[in-house]
Amino acid sequence: VVRVERGNIDDAIDFGNSDQLLVGETAIAIGSPLGQAFSGSVSRGIISGLDRSVPVDIDTDGNYDWEANVLQTDAAINPGNSGGALVDQNGDLIGINSMKISMPTVEGIGFAIPVNEVEQIVTQLEENGEVQRPYLGVLLQDLYTVPAEVLVNEMNLPDDVNSGVIISNVEEGTPADAAGLEALDVVVSLDGNEVQNMMELRKYLYYEKEQGEEMQIEYYRDGQLQQTTATLE
């Protein structure tokens, strides 16, 4: 968040609602690809996907530290576009251009931070000077990514359980560890609110809970529904 003198600035961009976006809607990326020589460039495409999870290596140590929740677009995103606006056909801000997949065999896969998440982050930075998020201490995997035969034969998951989040690892000394959660537990609800995937779990954890609060977790282990309470850090 950068504070500048208002000066001759009369208008500011209107914020859209990234939760109401649909795949196929127009997306326009604004930025300065490859530097000042191409400043103010505009590229046009569509929203290609919603609620994408993209692993990010923040400290460049070769290990993923975070999974960014992003919008996918085929509007051209190039070095220098990061931080620029992704707008809809009305000119409303729907995202902040962030990254792209750059491989010889890949075309038109760029990503932007959804504007609703941008608003949350901006508010925290202005109020606290940093982003503060509750911490549980688990690595996650969406249930739908695992073959059905594995869920039934190896995890003994009931046939009628077809959504949720698998815990792939629990870090020692974390709230999840203290609550007794283990790898291969399948989380299905938080505080009585159903969670169908990782995005729903993170959104509830980050935007509905605070550090120091308790959170009730319902999960399946060996085919049995269980419940525990974690005190978030």
Side-chain angles (χ1 to χ4, degrees):
V1 176
V2 179
R3 173 179 288 180
V4 298
E5 293 293 334
R6 184 178 184 90
N8 296 321
I9 299 174
D10 296 321
D11 298 303
I13 193 168
D14 291 326
F15 278 30
N17 186 343
S18 51
D19 288 341
Q20 295 181 353
L21 292 174
L22 299 175
V23 172
E25 287 190 50
T26 297
I28 302 170
I30 303 173
S32 301
L34 307 182
Q36 287 298 314
F38 299 100
S39 62
S41 293
V42 174
S43 57
R44 181 176 183 273
I46 62 171
I47 297 295
S48 305
L50 306 170
D51 289 332
R52 298 300 199 204
S53 292
V54 177
V56 179
D57 179 10
I58 297 174
D59 54 11
T60 66
D61 65 351
N63 297 313
Y64 293 129
D65 308 294
W66 180 251
E67 285 188 341
N69 173 31
V70 291
L71 303 171
Q72 180 185 336
T73 178
D74 66 350
I77 304 294
N78 292 292
N81 276 108
S82 294
L86 186 72
V87 303
D88 62 16
Q89 62 184 357
N90 298 317
D92 293 339
L93 183 69
I94 56 174
I96 298 295
N97 302 323
S98 178
M99 67 189 94
K100 64 179 288 187
I101 293 180
S102 181
M103 298 171 60
T105 57
V106 175
E107 291 185 13
I109 302 182
F111 302 104
I113 303 170
V115 69
N116 289 15
E117 185 161 337
V118 171
E119 286 189 272
Q120 295 273 357
I121 293 171
V122 166
T123 299
Q124 287 208 39
L125 288 174
E126 289 180 339
E127 293 179 353
N128 307 316
E130 62 181 4
V131 178
Q132 298 176 344
R133 287 174 168 157
Y135 176 64
L136 186 59
V138 294
L139 294 179
L140 305 172
Q141 180 180 0
D142 279 326
L143 188 68
Y144 69 82
T145 63
V146 179
E149 58 271 19
V150 173
L151 299 177
V152 175
N153 299 331
E154 297 184 21
M155 300 176 63
N156 299 316
L157 202 63
D159 292 336
D160 60 347
V161 179
N162 49 34
S163 64
V165 181
I166 300 172
I167 295 177
S168 55
N169 185 58
V170 177
E171 298 180 34
E172 292 185 9
T174 62
D177 186 28
L181 293 174
E182 299 177 359
L184 299 185
D185 288 345
V186 179
V187 178
V188 294
S189 78
L190 303 176
D191 293 333
N193 299 286
E194 182 181 359
V195 290
Q196 300 189 31
N197 51 52
M198 293 189 294
M199 286 298 100
E200 289 187 0
L201 187 150
R202 288 195 182 93
K203 285 180 180 179
Y204 184 82
L205 180 64
Y206 295 157
Y207 302 133
E208 302 297 332
K209 306 298 291 185
E210 296 182 0
Q211 294 170 322
E213 285 189 335
E214 291 187 346
M215 181 171 69
Q216 289 187 344
I217 303 170
E218 281 193 335
Y219 62 96
Y220 281 91
R221 178 183 296 169
D222 294 327
Q224 300 297 315
L225 183 62
Q226 302 186 41
Q227 180 174 296
T228 188
T229 300
T231 301
L232 302 172
E233 294 181 355

